């Protein structure tokens, strides 16, 4: 019975908390040793009110003299994505074995300094191959530019470039990503036949990032940049 309780406690704690050293101590004894102690968390002078993924309040705990903190709350305070790998009892903040899984911030939550932020709706969220996306910045006519102040906070920009469903024009255009005045990505020439393109770009050290969708004010190929986000 004691061993079963020990395993249960380890499993529960591993799923919701993260300590400053290793993920959890291995000297668990009984559930009654876990004491909610009203521990406060302060980040850069601001008190953190930790919550779980559903917004419910969760308390830091002290166990066997060690303080354990809610991993999602700490990750959010540090601006890092969090991922719980249950089968392997591993918590990842920001980087999962070299693979960035969730964006630190989604593009739709970034304020463009050059253009009112446009989020695609309805038909604009379906590409010419029938794939549907959750959200996107897009253009339906001309050359649309977006600029973002990154302040060198992020390492990658990832998203999917696509041509909108129902495209009939014979025109073509390109999609560019420019970091501090230097072009770091140029798409192939896009047309109504172009399949979706997954983009994963290094933006480390970038202060101002510019996304150019189209080349001239006359471009009328309808394209979108879907489910995009910046990663630390």
């Amino acid at each position: 019975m004691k061993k079963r309780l020990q395993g249960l406690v380890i499993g529960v704690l591993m799923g919701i908390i993260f300590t400053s050293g290793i993920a959890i101590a291995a000297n668990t004894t009984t559930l009654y040793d876990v004491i909610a102690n009203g521990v406060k968390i302060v980040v850069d002078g601001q008190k953190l009110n930790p919550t779980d993924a559903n917004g419910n309040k969760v308390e830091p705990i002290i166990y066997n003299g060690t303080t354990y903190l809610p991993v999602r709350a700490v990750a959010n305070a540090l601006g890092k994505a969090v991922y719980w790998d249950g089968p392997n009892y591993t918590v990842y903040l920001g980087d999962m074995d070299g693979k960035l899984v969730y964006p630190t911030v989604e593009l739709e939550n970034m304020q463009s300094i050059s253009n009112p932020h446009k989020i695609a709706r309805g038909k604009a969220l379906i590409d010419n191959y029938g794939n549907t996306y959750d959200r996107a910045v897009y253009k339906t006519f001309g050359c649309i530019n977006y600029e973002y102040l990154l302040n060198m906070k992020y390492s990658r920009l990832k998203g999917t470039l696509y041509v909108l469903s129902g495209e009939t024009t014979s025109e073509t255009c390109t999609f560019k990503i420019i970091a501090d005045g230097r072009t770091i990505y140029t798409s192939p020439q896009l047309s109504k036949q172009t399949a979706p393109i997954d983009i994963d770009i290094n933006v480390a050290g970038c202060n101002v990032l510019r996304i150019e969708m189209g080349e001239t004010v006359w471009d009328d190929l309808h394209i979108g940049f879907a489910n995009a986000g910046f990663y630390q």
Side-chain angles (χ1 to χ4, degrees):
M1 179 64 180
K2 182 177 179 180
K3 289 185 177 179
R4 290 179 60 188
L5 182 58
Q6 178 180 357
L8 175 62
V9 172
I10 292 177
V12 171
L13 292 178
M14 283 291 288
I16 63 172
I17 58 180
F18 179 84
T19 183
S20 59
I22 58 175
I24 189 171
N27 58 348
T28 306
T29 54
T30 71
L31 183 61
Y32 303 105
D33 292 322
V34 181
I35 304 172
N37 203 39
V39 179
K40 295 181 177 63
I41 305 174
V42 179
V43 179
D44 293 334
Q46 300 294 317
K47 183 182 177 183
L48 176 66
N49 298 309
T51 59
D52 62 18
N54 297 317
N56 301 314
K57 185 177 180 180
V58 290
E59 294 285 354
I61 66 170
I62 293 177
Y63 170 68
N64 280 358
T66 300
T67 300
Y68 295 87
L69 305 177
V71 62
R72 185 172 297 278
V74 174
N76 289 342
L78 296 176
K80 292 185 178 295
V82 59
Y83 178 76
W84 165 237
D85 181 2
N88 295 308
Y89 282 75
T90 306
V91 174
Y92 296 94
L93 295 180
D95 190 319
M96 188 183 74
D97 283 351
K99 181 180 180 181
L100 298 171
V101 182
Y102 300 113
T104 304
V105 59
E106 294 179 337
L107 190 65
E108 70 166 354
N109 294 325
M110 296 285 287
Q111 179 62 52
S112 171
I113 61 173
S114 63
N115 194 51
H117 202 73
K118 296 182 179 180
I119 304 301
R121 301 298 180 198
K123 189 175 180 180
L125 287 172
I126 304 174
D127 67 28
N128 55 342
Y129 281 75
N131 301 301
T132 301
Y133 305 97
D134 293 330
R135 61 193 66 84
V137 296
Y138 70 105
K139 82 173 195 71
T140 57
F141 183 80
C143 179
I144 301 297
N145 301 321
Y146 299 91
E147 283 187 315
Y148 301 94
L149 293 176
L150 303 189
N151 196 26
M152 296 177 284
K153 291 181 178 179
Y154 308 103
S155 64
R156 312 294 299 183
L157 170 63
K158 298 171 66 174
T160 300
L161 177 63
Y162 67 100
V163 177
L164 273 60
S165 173
E167 183 58 77
T168 59
T169 183
S170 60
E171 289 196 21
T172 63
C173 73
T174 59
F175 174 96
K176 293 182 180 181
I177 299 176
I178 301 168
D180 295 327
R182 180 174 62 89
T183 300
I184 58 175
Y185 175 82
T186 301
S187 74
Q189 201 72 16
L190 305 173
S191 72
K192 61 185 177 183
Q193 294 91 5
T194 301
I197 301 171
D198 289 330
I199 294 176
D200 183 351
I201 301 297
N202 184 352
V203 295
C206 174
N207 184 42
V208 178
L209 187 92
R210 180 181 176 92
I211 297 174
E212 293 187 355
M213 306 176 74
E215 299 163 89
T216 73
V217 296
W218 308 112
D219 286 341
D220 61 1
L221 181 71
H222 302 168
I223 62 175
F225 188 34
N227 299 341
F230 293 101
Y231 298 72
Q232 288 190 326

